[in-house]
Amino acid sequence: MARLTLRPHNQFVSSPIFSHKQPFLSVYTIFPHHHHNPLIKSRVKCSASGTERVRESKKLPPKDPLEDPKPQLPIPEVLSTETGFEQNWPPWKNIPQRYKLIGATSLAFVICNMDKVNLSIAIIPMSHQFGWSSSVAGLVQSSFFWGYALSQLPGGWLSKIFGGRKVLEIGVFTWSFATALVPLLAGFMPGLIFSRILVGIGEGVSPSAATDLIARTIPVKERSRAVGFVFGGLSLGSVMGLLLAPPIIETFNWESVFYLFGLLGVGWFVGFQFLNEEEVSYKGNEISTSHKSENATKEELGSSLKEIPWKSFFQSPAVWAMIYTHFCGSWGHYTCLSWLPTYFSEALSLNLTEAAWVSILPPLASIVVTSLASQFADYLITNGVETTTVRKICQTIAFVAPAICMTLSSVDIGLPPWEIVGILTAGLALSSFALSGLYCTHQDISPEYASILLGITNTVGAVPGIVGVALTGFLLDSTHSWTMSLFVPSIFFYLTGTVVWLAFASSEPQTFTKEDS
């Protein structure tokens, strides 16, 4: 049987049947399902007097006789004909915008590390083809860190001015384009080094850009998971790069890996344009909208640079704690990333294939640890534990765990090779707790200057990539001891970093002002 529903609308509608706008009543007639018309809708126009009777029955305010006979009011809502499938397709249609942004940023970081590790695989056939010595190969690989170190502060500053999302998308396009240039410039050393510096610059601005985006988009109770999810993409990128690069090179050639990985980044850049939404800044319990100028003049940019309270930053013990802690964490990370495959091959007598697969284990385990650590941190904060306490707990785990595991691996207690691999994997995986410790503190103490603060700490954190990796090789040649060259320096920085962090770190919001400078 048909069902008739009357709904009054104190609104006006323009219809092609009628030459003027009139008040109306909507009459929706729903018929039983039919193979031709499962849902039929119709509207019945009523007279003005009928509308007045409805007003009286509903005790609506009388119509003002002086009211414009043709007011411009919104068109009334009409029943949707969308099916459940249409309303929920594509699958991400109803996902909150901030989660879409975080997901896209994490994907960018996956591509980031894929483009970072691809050279470590491709350098072998490239060296054979061009006759490079180990010194030349090392120069090519280290050139990435030149651009990475130089772009940290500019990346933070630009993110503060234009917004993290704009800087991030430009950074991804830059490093992807430069990655695709590598095969074209490989025979010309200055050009090759320049292309790798460009890759470093593009990837160098991205952490600050992501930090700014998270600070302006994610509330504090979700921040640990957001940071863990975004920066956890680096571990996944390392795994995917190490897994995909060898078969691509063997199936095609070494050039193809740079073209394919570069194309992935360009594809991400195109897709990210569809996420153009206003960014929201969470500062305490207040929410403010950030509008970034894309046409700032040189004078405005110079003025904004002068307005940054640099002196106020360096007067804060918490900022100095972040700087030194970032340096310590990067020393252990970069030296192990560069030298562990050689350590597995030479010290543990694993063949090259085994060493390559074993090198995947730490970043693979880090993906799992990152997820657990972020949920653990947000759970504590949600249940009333002070944010500073949570950050100190997480960062202490991130430093003490690898220090203990490196100590066990370096002491000759008769452990078989695979147990040493397991111990080192566990220690390096637990270092991912830093994503819920140090890497959240920039947003905690100042959402406004989070990107610049990360630019400062990450600039210092890039130094071990240049100095630490080379110094490890020098110490190895001098001492012929993996313990003294690789493990002892890392253990030293992990332990001293823990002491400094516990003594001076803070996640309390701080006001950095130019007046204090």
Side-chain angles (χ1 to χ4, degrees):
M1 177 177 289
R3 183 174 62 193
L4 183 64
T5 304
L6 294 178
R7 289 193 344 196
H9 288 262
N10 186 24
Q11 296 174 324
F12 294 79
V13 63
S14 176
S15 170
I17 301 177
F18 304 100
S19 59
H20 59 281
K21 299 178 181 177
Q22 305 179 31
F24 72 94
L25 287 174
S26 295
V27 180
Y28 295 105
T29 307
I30 312 298
F31 291 91
H33 287 284
H34 189 274
H35 67 282
H36 290 301
N37 293 298
L39 176 60
I40 300 178
K41 295 183 282 186
S42 62
R43 291 181 180 169
V44 178
K45 175 178 172 295
C46 295
S47 65
S49 60
T51 304
E52 293 300 330
R53 286 195 295 273
V54 172
R55 286 180 180 274
E56 293 176 2
S57 65
K58 296 294 184 179
K59 295 184 179 181
L60 298 175
K63 182 178 179 182
D64 187 351
L66 300 179
E67 186 177 71
D68 184 357
K70 295 182 180 181
Q72 301 298 318
L73 295 176
I75 296 176
E77 181 181 354
V78 181
L79 274 181
S80 172
T81 59
E82 289 184 346
T83 65
F85 176 80
E86 292 171 338
Q87 290 176 347
N88 296 310
W89 187 261
W92 55 83
K93 179 178 180 181
N94 298 321
I95 297 177
Q97 189 66 22
R98 68 182 186 274
Y99 296 153
K100 294 179 184 178
L101 289 171
I102 294 304
T105 305
S106 181
L107 180 58
F109 276 41
V110 172
I111 301 171
C112 172
N113 259 26
M114 289 177 67
D115 288 334
K116 185 183 295 183
V117 303
N118 59 6
L119 184 63
S120 64
I121 304 297
I123 196 70
I124 299 173
M126 291 173 70
S127 297
H128 292 161
Q129 178 176 334
F130 296 105
W132 294 340
S133 65
S134 298
S135 299
V136 174
L139 175 67
V140 173
Q141 293 196 78
S142 66
S143 60
F144 167 88
F145 290 100
W146 304 351
Y148 190 81
L150 291 173
S151 61
Q152 296 300 316
L153 278 176
W157 170 58
L158 292 173
S159 297
K160 173 69 169 59
I161 302 302
F162 297 104
R165 61 172 298 116
K166 178 61 64 177
V167 175
L168 177 65
E169 62 187 39
I170 294 175
V172 173
F173 182 82
T174 299
W175 91 57
S176 300
F177 178 73
T179 295
L181 286 178
V182 168
L184 303 177
L185 300 174
F188 179 57
M189 184 57 62
L192 176 60
I193 291 177
F194 176 71
S195 69
R196 289 303 294 177
I197 291 175
L198 275 183
V199 174
I201 290 174
E203 296 194 9
V205 302
S206 301
S208 295
T211 298
D212 178 86
L213 190 143
I214 292 171
R216 298 180 183 279
T217 307
I218 303 298
V220 65
K221 291 183 179 179
E222 299 177 5
R223 194 165 289 159
S224 297
R225 281 168 289 177
V227 173
F229 187 72
V230 168
F231 285 85
L234 296 174
S235 297
L236 181 59
S238 296
V239 172
M240 293 185 65
L242 292 171
L243 286 176
L244 295 177
I248 290 174
I249 293 174
E250 291 175 357
T251 303
F252 303 101
N253 48 48
W254 65 263
E255 292 94 337
S256 60
V257 75
F258 294 101
Y259 290 135
L260 290 175
F261 286 12
L263 185 61
L264 283 177
V266 174
W268 181 95
F269 173 81
V270 173
F272 196 61
Q273 306 308 307
F274 295 96
L275 288 178
N276 287 330
E277 286 287 335
E278 197 174 59
E279 296 174 7
V280 177
S281 179
Y282 290 84
K283 299 179 181 179
N285 294 325
E286 298 180 358
I287 301 177
S288 61
T289 304
S290 174
H291 300 278
K292 300 293 183 180
S293 170
E294 298 183 6
N295 300 310
T297 64
K298 292 182 179 179
E299 292 76 11
E300 291 172 336
L301 292 177
S303 176
S304 64
L305 184 61
K306 293 178 181 178
E307 290 174 358
I308 296 174
W310 300 103
K311 186 176 179 180
S312 185
F313 291 155
F314 294 109
Q315 289 176 339
S316 169
V319 171
W320 281 107
M322 291 192 296
I323 291 172
Y324 184 69
T325 302
H326 206 142
F327 176 89
C328 294
S330 293
W331 187 285
H333 175 74
Y334 289 136
T335 55
C336 288
L337 184 67
S338 300
W339 288 101
L340 271 186
T342 306
Y343 169 78
F344 290 146
S345 177
E346 295 183 0
L348 302 185
S349 301
L350 303 180
N351 61 44
L352 291 177
T353 302
E354 291 173 336
W357 279 98
V358 166
S359 299
I360 296 174
L361 295 179
L364 192 62
S366 294
I367 298 173
V368 178
V369 172
T370 297
S371 176
L372 297 175
S374 60
Q375 294 183 55
F376 169 72
D378 282 344
Y379 172 81
L380 293 179
I381 293 174
T382 302
N383 285 273
V385 181
E386 288 188 2
T387 305
T388 297
T389 302
V390 174
R391 304 305 182 210
K392 287 186 175 182
I393 291 173
C394 290
Q395 191 60 43
T396 300
I397 295 173
F399 275 4
V400 173
I404 293 174
C405 291
M406 287 183 179
T407 301
L408 293 175
S409 301
S410 60
V411 176
D412 187 7
I413 55 177
L415 293 177
W418 289 105
E419 288 188 14
I420 295 177
V421 169
I423 291 173
L424 287 175
T425 297
L428 294 174
L430 288 172
S431 69
S432 296
F433 264 85
L435 296 179
S436 297
L438 167 67
Y439 283 86
C440 288
T441 310
H442 307 80
Q443 299 99 302
D444 292 338
I445 67 174
S446 179
E448 181 180 4
Y449 294 109
S451 60
I452 295 178
L453 289 172
L454 184 65
I456 293 172
T457 66
N458 220 14
T459 298
V460 179
V463 173
I466 301 172
V467 177
V469 174
L471 182 61
T472 300
F474 174 78
L475 292 175
L476 184 60
D477 287 336
S478 302
T479 65
H480 303 286
S481 169
W482 284 101
T483 298
M484 297 303 299
S485 60
L486 180 61
F487 294 128
V488 169
S490 295
I491 292 170
F492 170 80
F493 286 120
Y494 279 140
L495 294 181
T496 57
T498 301
V499 173
V500 171
W501 183 257
L502 291 176
F504 300 106
S506 173
S507 287
E508 293 297 321
Q510 299 188 25
T511 302
F512 298 108
T513 61
K514 187 67 176 176
E515 288 73 21
D516 294 336
S517 301

